[in-house]
Amino acid sequence: GAVVSQHPSWVICKSGTSVKIECRSLDFQATTMFWYRQFPKQSLMLMATSNEGSKATYEQGVEKDKFLINHASLTLSTLTVTSAHPEDSSFYICSASAGGTDTQYFGPGTRLTVL
Amino acid sequence: KQEVTQIPAALSVPEGENLVLNCSFTDSAIYNLQWFRQDPGKGLTSLLLIQSSQREQTSGRLNASLDKSSGRSTLYIAASQPGDSATYLCAVFEGAQKLVFGQGTRLTINP
């Protein structure tokens, strides 16, 4: 089946620094990638949708200047959390789709802890 | 705004029992519905996808049903095993691609 990887799997950073998380589709071309956030014991909340070569579409309440998303190729999307604060600590999960109504394949997630 | 609710939030049963997980959604105008499994600290594994025109899907010991008119879906697990212990998430498609998730049911199967 289709495989999506994320790097790093976990990261700890100091408040005020920026952190970049990568999402890669390993064996298919991902026209569309999605970024989700999951707080402890809560469900996944969609943050943004990105199409290759286009600007990401952010969900209501998600700060686009804080969560920078780049989808520069058909196999890679990055999420950069800028000036991270402790409240940004969460589990970030990406998913990738070949487009249209195709199935989304989920990455293993990245645990971010901001001290 | 679509809201997805899963009941119960947690369930613990002895090995071998059959069980049902429930999912309800507020807006019946959905494209599809999907059930996922999430192990602690891990990503999601897709279990079953039910298209809006379907009423159920089966895969091995799993059976998922969909009743759009009542805004409900159930996931039936037969002959449960300790390896089935995980959090089960229900998600509805709001449009062709956007997934709206429930909060999940944390399932524990006791040997």
Side-chain angles (χ1 to χ4, degrees):
Chain A
V3 179
V4 175
S5 70
Q6 282 185 241
H7 179 80
S9 55
W10 58 269
V11 57
I12 301 173
C13 70
K14 292 182 178 180
S15 185
T17 60
S18 294
V19 174
K20 180 183 286 187
I21 303 170
E22 293 185 348
C23 175
R24 293 182 184 273
S25 57
L26 299 184
D27 51 5
F28 68 101
Q29 293 188 327
T31 304
T32 308
M33 287 186 167
F34 306 84
W35 287 95
Y36 296 84
R37 181 167 54 185
Q38 185 179 34
F39 291 109
K41 299 197 176 180
Q42 294 188 28
S43 192
L44 279 76
M45 297 295 293
L46 179 65
M47 299 174 66
T49 303
S50 71
N51 292 295
E52 185 266 337
S54 302
K55 288 185 178 180
T57 301
Y58 290 80
E59 294 298 304
Q60 192 172 11
V62 178
E63 299 174 59
K64 62 179 67 176
D65 294 331
K66 180 170 184 62
F67 299 98
L68 302 179
I69 293 173
N70 183 280
H71 190 170
S73 78
L74 285 171
T75 60
L76 173 65
S77 176
T78 60
L79 167 67
T80 301
V81 183
T82 63
S83 187
H85 291 285
E87 57 265 31
D88 298 323
S89 298
S90 186
F91 193 54
Y92 292 87
I93 302 179
C94 73
S95 69
S97 164
T101 57
D102 203 35
T103 300
Q104 291 182 38
Y105 299 94
F106 284 79
T110 296
R111 172 77 58 194
L112 170 63
T113 301
V114 185
L115 301 177
Chain B
K1 178 184 174 185
Q2 179 74 269
E3 293 184 3
V4 181
T5 304
Q6 290 187 245
I7 296 172
L11 180 65
S12 180
V13 300
E15 179 178 3
E17 281 201 4
N18 303 324
L19 58 100
V20 175
L21 307 181
N22 297 292
C23 172
S24 62
F25 44 95
T26 53
D27 186 348
S28 62
I30 62 171
Y31 268 51
N32 303 319
L33 183 144
Q34 195 163 2
W35 282 92
F36 295 87
R37 167 187 173 135
Q38 185 177 29
D39 291 288
K42 305 291 185 181
L44 275 64
T45 300
S46 177
L47 298 174
L48 290 165
L49 170 68
I50 309 177
Q51 296 183 349
S52 60
S53 58
Q54 298 175 319
R55 293 192 65 84
E56 66 177 329
Q57 277 284 354
T58 297
S59 175
R61 296 183 291 110
L62 305 179
N63 175 276
S65 69
L66 174 63
D67 184 344
K68 282 181 60 178
S69 61
S70 66
R72 296 177 187 274
S73 175
T74 62
L75 178 66
Y76 175 83
I77 302 177
S80 60
Q81 302 171 358
D84 295 331
S85 297
T87 295
Y88 289 79
L89 295 167
C90 166
V92 300
F93 281 77
E94 193 174 74
Q97 291 189 313
K98 180 180 176 180
L99 285 168
V100 180
F101 285 85
Q103 291 191 308
T105 293
R106 191 169 63 255
L107 176 65
T108 303
I109 307 298
N110 301 304

